[in-house]
Amino acid sequence: MEERYETENIDLPVLSSVILSIQDALFCRNSEGIITVWNPAAEKMFGFAATEVLGGDISIIIPPEHREEEQIIIERLARGERITHFETVRLTKGGQRLYVSISPSPLLDEAGVMTGAVMVARPVVHKPDSGEKHAMLAAIIDSSDDAIVSKNLNGIITSWNKGAERIFGYNEKEAIGKHITLIIPDDLLSEEDYIIAQITAGNKVDHFQTTRERKDGKKIPVSITVSPVRDSSGRVTGASKIARDISHQKQAEEKQAMLAAIVDSSDDVIVSKNLDGIITSWNKGAERVFGYSEEEAIGKHITLIIPEEHRDEENYIISQVASGNKVDHFQTIRVTKDGRKIPVSITVSPVKDSSGRIIGASKIARDISDQIEKTRKLEELNNAKDEFIGIASHELKTPLTSIKANVQVLERKLKDDPIHPFVSRTLQQVNKLSTLISDLLDVSKIQAGKLQFNFHDFEINTIITECIDILQQTVDHELIYQGCSRKIMVKADRIRIEQVIINLLTNAVKYSPKAKKVIVECQMEEDMVVIRVKDFGIGIPKHEQDRIFSRFYRAEGLASVFPGLGIGLYISQEIIYRHKGEMGVTSKEGEGSTFYFRLPVLHVD
Ligand code: ADP
């Protein structure tokens, strides 16, 4: 109980002037909460003039959430408790929140009954009150991507944030008050007992990976952390649970595991190394091909498998990779644990970290011993075949030359004999056979690099005309020559150039059965002469145009319609190349083709 002064000792005018001049806000309220005193400092602090508030309710300066507190203070004062300072929030006339320290004292009547209270208020430097802290926490919780949920010890959900709503599909209303088993799949219910047991014992459950069930029944992998919630006396009253949806993480892990499995089951060598050349991964394929186990290889320098004489390559490869380039199908030699040298084809690609920085290289190597062996066998077979063609055509040529000579004699001698047409047809066929065999012989000579040339100077128009004349006797197409009026001299093998022209003309006629003419042009273009053979026949599809110059290649589907071996263009192109010229074709399917070749010119008269 306050010690009481005798009122007669108090000089009332002095007291009033103290109240008026004191720097602290001083105001009184009666037991009904009506303001009875309001000094100038209070006017200044709260912005209300005394005339505005005297007789009014004290709640005008108390924020709603602090009204209960005001009541409690009054009750405590009435019980005779002494309250020195309490920090709280008050409102100004403008509605601003003011942090103040209030020292309240009871106002007592003569009988010692409390009739109200006098309050002295001083501003305090702003300190967030617990209400504000709570608001801040609530905002953090609500903006979290994780599900943050609390429950009491009976497992009843007591709070549910936006993250929980997003992850589990239930909104706050649907979840609060329900048992936490709402989101636990039936087969995992026992987990909850374990968690509750841990929490009750005051333990935290950290990063527990499990599965929870969404409102739509979908199961999602989550990582949960559960912590005990205690009351002010330290007693565990519930649990807070933070759950993170780890579907993406799980998918990434599965992908990683899958990749690892692929790498491991690959027959190829898959190895990675850092930019210093140190091996950082080594798959089963590498183990099988090189003989070193994973433990033996990882941490070693990649020169472990590079033979001495190939070490320079490594610098090249590393420099390529460091500048972000890939090294593709590089054929080289590597050495195994037992010292065997094996041919490999390697592809090296830069490995980048998540920020795109190059941190090493991955290397896929394939043991190509088998492939090389196969290629070698194929080459051998091919050579044997070429050799056979060479020998066979040579052997055929000798008797054929004699047959041809004899038939030519007969053909001349029997000019007026009724048997002449038969001899003449025989000679035609013998000539065809002879050309075929010469062509075959040429192919094997080209293969063996033995195709011989005899270069002479001659005029090109003349031989084109000769070729046209010879061929015109045997074909129905009109062979039209649009030559050059000037004499174009070339240095070439006359017989071989004739062979090319005859070949192009024969093809032009053969592949244009419905056309009536073939046009031959000869023109100067810069310092080259260009000869074009233009037909109006079947043409050649675009994708075949390059390939028809290959040995034995014939456009698809031709075999049954047009006879041929597919070597004429191959020989012709080789002949023109050997004259430092070039050969090509332009063609449109169904419209016709123009074959051309260019030769260097000696001079033009
Ligand atoms: P062959 O005529 O004996 O098949 P070539 O080497 O002379 O051999 O020609 C190769 C292929 O090129 C022919 O099979 C044919 O498909 C195509 N070809 C050549 N000339 C013509 C042409 N004038 N018109 C259409 N296709 C042609």
Side-chain angles (χ1 to χ4, degrees), residues 70 114 128 238 250 307 309 343 358 426-427 440 457 503 506 550 561:
E70 171 85 3
M114 187 170 125
K250 269 266 168 337
E309 63 277 19
I358 296 162
T426 308
L427 182 60
L440 276 174
D457 298 353
N503 186 21
T506 317
S550 316
V561 193

Side-chain angles (χ1 to χ4, degrees), residues 156-260:
I156 302 297
I157 298 168
T158 51
S159 80
W160 188 260
N161 77 337
K162 289 258 179 347
E165 197 168 319
R166 207 173 32 251
I167 293 176
F168 300 115
Y170 296 97
N171 65 28
E172 200 178 343
K173 262 210 194 110
E174 290 171 306
I176 289 185
K178 296 273 164 54
H179 196 266
I180 191 72
T181 47
L182 181 71
I183 54 164
I184 305 182
D186 289 347
D187 53 332
L188 296 177
L189 287 176
S190 57
E191 270 179 25
E192 184 57 15
D193 298 337
Y194 162 74
I195 293 174
I196 291 283
Q198 288 296 313
I199 293 303
T200 315
N203 297 331
K204 192 174 170 192
V205 177
D206 234 346
H207 301 299
F208 178 73
Q209 292 205 3
T210 180
T211 303
R212 289 293 175 257
E213 196 170 306
R214 284 173 51 88
K215 189 179 175 184
D216 59 13
K218 201 175 146 207
K219 303 255 167 64
I220 42 168
V222 289
S223 160
I224 59 182
T225 296
V226 192
S227 317
V229 171
R230 298 166 197 272
D231 65 9
S232 54
S233 68
R235 204 162 48 90
V236 176
T237 57
S240 77
K241 188 166 185 169
I242 303 185
R244 175 162 297 179
D245 178 356
I246 52 170
S247 315
H248 290 305
Q249 192 183 322
K250 269 266 168 337
Q251 274 166 10
E253 274 170 22
E254 274 163 22
K255 200 167 141 196
Q256 198 105 31
M258 181 100 81
L259 283 177

Side-chain angles (χ1 to χ4, degrees), residues 305-325:
I305 53 162
I306 307 183
E308 203 67 47
E309 63 277 19
H310 286 275
R311 296 268 158 97
D312 290 349
E313 285 168 9
E314 184 57 14
N315 296 335
Y316 163 73
I317 291 175
I318 289 282
S319 72
Q320 284 295 309
V321 163
S323 48
N325 298 328

Side-chain angles (χ1 to χ4, degrees), residues 503 507-508 510-511 535 538-540 548 553-555 558 563-570 593 595:
N503 186 21
N507 277 351
K510 180 163 73 171
Y511 294 108
D535 69 56
I538 59 169
I540 305 155
I548 51 171
Y553 189 84
R554 307 198 70 213
L558 278 191
L565 286 182
I567 51 178
L569 288 180
Y570 169 74
S593 315
F595 281 84

